[in-house]
């Protein structure tokens, strides 16, 4: 039979009916043919056949009822979700307004405290100078104090220097969190490490005082990424990022043009469309920075 031949062997295979006395051969199925042709185990095939025989065709009405019930269940879930979103929307908006008001109030209080601190610092400096300028020892103390304040970035600096302006192509509206790796097509390009490299390159180029986004860079001042924003001394700055560096413009330009900071900016300009402008200025003012308490470490056993 053709089925037996396809399944692995022919029952008459091996029998010789033409030669008298020839040995009778027992037909053996071909294992290779069986593996190639019979893809389902006989036990599974029998079970499937039995299941097909026992199944009864369901009516089209029953199938339609089940489909209608499933559609109603899905529609009910979506309706409940929409109703819940509409019910919570006023509360969410009110919470956002409260938080926005709190942030604005805190910013106003911080600005007011900063202005008061600057005014008191100026008043203290005037009183100090009026008391110490009368004799040689007092003048020497004032000179030493001026040097210390300059090193601590506690005094404003005015003079010629370089202005580096970096314009980000755009930032995302959602500043909650972004990857710190540049992704093709993402809107934010400039990261904290880019500004850090530019500032370090300006120091190496001979800058005497630097500010980033109007904030003086001094001891204990950091430039960090916070989600989709950049913080300088824990104060947010936004594009375009303006970096002022007081120092000899021509000498600084010669070194800064070959620095890793400017090379990084040129690479970002060519790859992502970042705007980079470097110009020399004959008169600029770098504001004073905030003065913090300096802690000194002591060795074990020292007094």
């Amino acid at each position: 039979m053709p089925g037996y031949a396809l399944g692995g062997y022919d029952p008459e295979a091996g029998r010789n009916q033409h030669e008298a006395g020839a040995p009778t051969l027992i037909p053996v199925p071909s294992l290779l043919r069986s593996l190639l042709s019979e893809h389902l185990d006989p036990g599974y095939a029998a079970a499937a056949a039995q299941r097909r025989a026992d199944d009864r065709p369901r009516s089209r009405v029953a199938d339609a009822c089940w489909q209608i019930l499933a559609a109603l269940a899905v529609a009910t879930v979506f309706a409940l979700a929409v109703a819940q979103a509409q019910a919570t929307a006023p509360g969410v908006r009110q919470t956002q307004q409260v938080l926005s008001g709190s942030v604005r109030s805190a910013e106003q209080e911080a600005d007011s405290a900063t202005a008061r601190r600057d005014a008191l610092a100026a008043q203290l400096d005037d009183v100090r100078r009026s008391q110490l300028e009368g004799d040689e020892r007092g003048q020497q103390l004032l000179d030493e104090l001026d040097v210390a304040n300059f090193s601590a970035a506690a005094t404003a600096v005015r003079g010629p220097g370089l202005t580096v302006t970096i314009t980000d192509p755009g930032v995302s509206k959602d500043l909650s969190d972004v990857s710190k790796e540049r992704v093709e097509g993402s809107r934010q390009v400039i990261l904290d490490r880019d500004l850090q490299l530019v500032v370090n390159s300006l120091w190496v180029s001979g800058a005497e005082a630097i500010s980033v986004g109007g904030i003086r860079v001094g001891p204990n001042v950091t430039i960090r990424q916070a989600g989709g924003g950049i913080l300088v001394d824990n104060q947010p700055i936004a594009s375009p990022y303006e970096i002022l560096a007081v120092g000899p413009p021509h000498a600084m330009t010669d070194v800064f043009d070959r620095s890793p900071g400017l090379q990084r900016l040129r690479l970002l300009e060519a790859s992502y469309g970042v705007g980079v402008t470097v110009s020399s200025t004959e008169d600029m003012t770098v504001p004073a920075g905030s003065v913090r308490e300096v802690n000194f470490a002591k060795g074990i056993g020292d007094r």
Side-chain angles (χ1 to χ4, degrees):
M1 298 176 62
Y4 284 104
L6 183 62
Y9 67 95
D10 185 356
E12 301 299 329
R15 295 182 182 276
N16 195 332
Q17 300 177 356
H18 301 285
E19 298 181 6
T24 302
L25 301 179
I26 300 176
V28 179
S30 173
L31 179 60
L32 181 59
R33 289 186 179 181
S34 177
L35 291 175
L36 294 176
S37 60
E38 298 181 4
H39 304 291
L40 187 64
D41 186 88
Y44 288 107
Q50 183 65 29
R51 186 168 55 253
R52 287 194 299 268
D54 294 341
D55 287 344
R56 296 180 179 178
R58 294 181 299 180
S59 63
R60 295 183 179 180
V61 177
D63 291 339
C65 291
W66 283 110
Q67 292 176 359
I68 293 174
L69 290 176
L72 289 176
V74 173
T76 302
V77 171
F78 276 104
L80 291 176
V82 171
Q84 185 177 5
Q86 292 178 349
T88 58
V92 172
R93 286 194 296 268
Q94 184 178 3
T95 303
Q96 291 176 345
Q97 293 175 357
V98 172
L99 292 176
S100 300
S102 300
V103 171
R104 286 192 293 268
S105 177
E107 289 178 347
Q108 293 175 358
E109 292 178 358
D111 294 340
S112 177
T114 300
R116 177 175 173 78
R117 180 203 64 191
D118 295 340
L120 292 176
Q123 183 179 356
L124 176 62
D125 185 69
D126 293 339
V127 174
R128 183 189 296 118
R129 292 187 178 279
S130 64
Q131 296 294 326
L132 296 178
E133 285 180 343
D135 56 5
E136 182 179 356
R137 177 56 181 169
Q139 187 62 44
Q140 182 180 359
L141 291 176
L142 285 177
D143 294 340
E144 294 177 357
L145 184 60
D146 290 340
V147 173
N149 286 334
F150 180 80
S151 301
T155 57
V157 179
R158 181 178 179 180
L162 292 182
T163 301
V164 182
T165 304
I166 307 170
T167 304
D168 202 308
V171 295
S172 174
K173 296 181 180 180
D174 183 10
L175 300 181
S176 60
D177 187 27
V178 293
S179 173
K180 292 189 177 182
E181 298 297 331
R182 297 183 183 89
V183 180
E184 189 71 25
S186 63
R187 295 179 61 84
Q188 186 181 23
V189 177
I190 300 300
L191 303 178
D192 53 355
R193 59 175 176 261
D194 302 318
L195 299 183
Q196 293 170 5
L197 184 58
V198 172
V199 170
N200 290 333
S201 297
L202 288 172
W203 285 125
V204 174
S205 301
E208 300 176 3
I210 297 178
S211 68
V212 179
I215 303 171
R216 180 73 173 272
V217 177
N220 298 326
V221 173
T222 59
I223 301 175
R224 296 179 178 177
Q225 193 86 21
I230 296 179
L231 303 181
V232 179
D233 197 18
N234 293 326
Q235 301 182 44
I237 61 174
S239 176
Y241 307 104
E242 186 179 60
I243 303 177
L244 303 181
V246 175
H250 300 292
M252 290 176 59
T253 301
D254 294 339
V255 179
F256 187 65
D257 286 343
R258 302 186 302 270
S259 66
L262 187 58
Q263 292 177 4
R264 171 76 68 85
L265 294 181
R266 295 306 182 192
L267 178 61
L268 297 178
E269 182 181 28
S271 302
Y272 299 95
V274 174
V276 179
T277 303
V278 181
S279 60
S280 59
T281 305
E282 294 300 327
D283 188 12
M284 65 172 58
T285 300
V286 174
S290 59
V291 179
R292 295 179 175 83
E293 181 181 358
V294 179
N295 298 320
F296 296 92
K298 294 182 179 180
I300 299 176
D302 295 342
R303 295 183 179 179

